[in-house]
Amino acid sequence: CLDLERLAWSQVVPSSSSPSSPSSLSEGGTAGLPPSAGHAAVGYNGSVVLVGGHERLERVKGKVKSFSPMKVHRLDPIGCAWSDVATTGVVPLQRGGHSVNLIAHKLYMFGGENPNRKPSNELFVLDLKTNEWSQPEVAGEAPIARSSHSAVTYLDRYIVVFGGGSVANCYNDVVVLDTQTMTWTRPETIGQTPPIRAGHASAVLGSLMYMIGGGNNAKGCADMYSLDLKNLGTERGTLEWVLIGNTPPESAIASEGLSLTCLPMAGCVLSYGGYNGKYHSAIHVFRPESYVLEALQEKKSLSQDPSMRSLASDRERSERSERSDRPEREASGRDSPNGASGTLATQARLESTSL
């Protein structure tokens, strides 16, 4: 567990509130949770919900003959206990490399591949209040079947899918699901389109989706892009790609299987881990100056409204306190056409403690 205020790692040893298989634990699992890869997780109501993932299965001539229903687990971070979630409804089959996006109390799961590496373009929805799965009808042209794509949520309405692939192909298309109308669309994009890739990571900060890493059948992707989403749902509807910068191929940022998380209160995105010939445990922080400037403008507007001055003052004191507790980690940036600027050099970097 990484404490983002102190920038310090601590070991979490979860227990189990449901029976665990001794064989699973001996193969590298943790209490209540078998070892898996390609799973997905979201935070919900103070807990962590983990969905699916590839597990070690019996194979006949290299193929898995039968697939089990999708497994869902929940972690109580306060009690440090995993529990199994019993689900009902149209339960999908187990898979890995899928994406999950939480909007209100519903979890939208798209794509992924089965244990025999056959990709899917199915969409399932899990209601976390009732633990019931459904497979809704969706209008529009569905994305090509894929796994190891990225999917981000924007305005608590849109799910933006980018890239991903199958054993033979990788993609660089943008497909959007409107969860209010349940319609797939392919918005027009302008700017410098990223190369095809899978295994990358994306996160939204403000109106920009930042995307890093991944690879394709030819090479790893040592770059970072932003996609401006502010026109989603408008008459214009055009989304703009911008190349933020490049990084050395040996950098952890140029990896597959890394994670990317946005920290709105700190005005940055944070990446962790990845694999590009070796496994990484480094943390990198990217702080776009455009987001900081927008936050300052918002603060100025609040301070000019007499009814909001107290709120602005409280927020300013909180931010000053946060800055005083946080080590200096900003670096000079370079301008980009959509106003996002920053550097792909490490602005804050930690090596994982030995757990």
Side-chain angles (χ1 to χ4, degrees):
C1 175
L2 175 64
D3 186 322
L4 294 173
E5 292 185 355
R6 299 186 297 111
L7 293 180
W9 286 102
S10 60
Q11 184 177 10
V12 176
V13 182
S15 61
S16 172
S17 59
S18 57
S20 301
S21 165
S23 61
S24 294
L25 297 183
S26 66
E27 294 169 358
T30 188
L33 200 64
S36 66
H39 48 266
V42 296
Y44 176 70
N45 274 1
S47 65
V48 178
V49 179
L50 187 145
V51 181
H54 293 303
E55 299 177 8
R56 182 176 296 180
L57 300 174
E58 181 180 353
R59 296 178 180 269
V60 178
K61 295 183 178 179
K63 295 289 185 180
V64 176
K65 295 300 183 180
S66 61
F67 307 137
S68 60
M70 177 69 73
K71 297 178 181 178
V72 180
H73 308 276
R74 189 187 299 265
L75 173 66
D76 173 8
I78 297 178
C80 287
W82 283 105
S83 60
D84 298 332
V85 178
T87 60
T88 60
V90 186
V91 182
L93 296 177
Q94 191 77 355
R95 68 195 64 196
H98 51 285
S99 58
V100 295
N101 296 78
L102 182 68
I103 298 179
H105 59 279
K106 293 185 176 181
L107 186 153
Y108 295 79
M109 184 189 76
F110 169 72
E113 61 181 17
N114 68 22
N116 291 330
R117 302 205 67 182
K118 181 181 179 180
S120 167
N121 67 347
E122 295 174 311
L123 177 73
F124 290 88
V125 179
L126 176 62
D127 188 320
L128 293 177
K129 287 186 176 180
T130 63
N131 293 331
E132 181 178 4
W133 284 101
S134 63
Q135 189 173 17
E137 292 187 7
V138 186
E141 181 184 355
I144 301 170
R146 67 192 66 199
S147 68
S148 300
H149 52 279
S150 67
V152 299
T153 303
Y154 183 61
L155 298 180
D156 288 327
R157 174 175 178 174
Y158 302 102
I159 296 175
V160 182
V161 175
F162 171 74
S166 62
V167 175
N169 300 295
C170 289
Y171 310 110
N172 62 350
D173 55 342
V174 176
V175 191
V176 177
L177 175 67
D178 185 334
T179 62
Q180 290 187 10
T181 64
M182 292 307 294
T183 304
W184 287 110
T185 59
R186 295 177 176 272
E188 178 186 0
T189 62
I190 60 175
Q192 185 173 345
T193 303
I196 60 173
R197 69 190 65 204
H200 53 283
S202 300
V204 171
L205 187 64
S207 64
L208 297 179
M209 180 186 86
Y210 292 95
M211 186 275 297
I212 60 172
N216 51 52
N217 294 332
K219 61 180 181 179
C221 299
D223 49 27
M224 179 178 188
Y225 285 81
S226 69
L227 179 65
D228 195 336
L229 303 176
K230 68 174 178 291
N231 288 330
L232 269 182
T234 68
E235 291 184 3
R236 183 179 179 185
T238 303
L239 312 182
E240 182 180 7
W241 282 110
V242 169
L243 172 63
I244 301 295
N246 297 286
T247 187
E250 66 274 10
S251 168
I253 297 175
S255 296
E256 296 184 43
L258 73 172
S259 64
L260 189 66
T261 304
C262 73
L263 304 175
M265 293 299 292
C268 64
V269 291
L270 180 150
S271 73
Y272 172 73
Y275 177 83
N276 59 0
K278 70 174 184 177
Y279 292 100
H280 295 278
S281 60
I283 290 176
H284 291 77
V285 174
F286 177 78
R287 186 186 304 278
E289 291 180 359
S290 61
Y291 185 82
V292 176
L293 292 175
E294 289 173 6
L296 290 174
Q297 183 60 42
E298 178 188 359
K299 184 186 297 184
K300 181 179 179 181
S301 299
L302 287 172
S303 64
Q304 290 174 347
D305 184 345
S307 65
M308 301 296 287
R309 283 175 184 166
S310 176
L311 175 61
S313 177
D314 290 343
R315 183 185 297 179
E316 189 173 277
R317 283 195 295 269
S318 175
E319 290 175 353
R320 282 202 304 266
S321 174
E322 180 185 351
R323 286 194 297 269
S324 66
D325 292 339
R326 186 172 61 235
E328 185 66 30
R329 58 179 182 269
E330 297 186 13
S332 59
R334 65 177 187 84
D335 293 334
S336 59
N338 70 352
S341 64
T343 175
L344 293 193
T346 302
Q347 297 183 16
R349 180 170 180 168
L350 299 176
E351 295 299 329
S352 173
T353 58
S354 178
L355 301 182

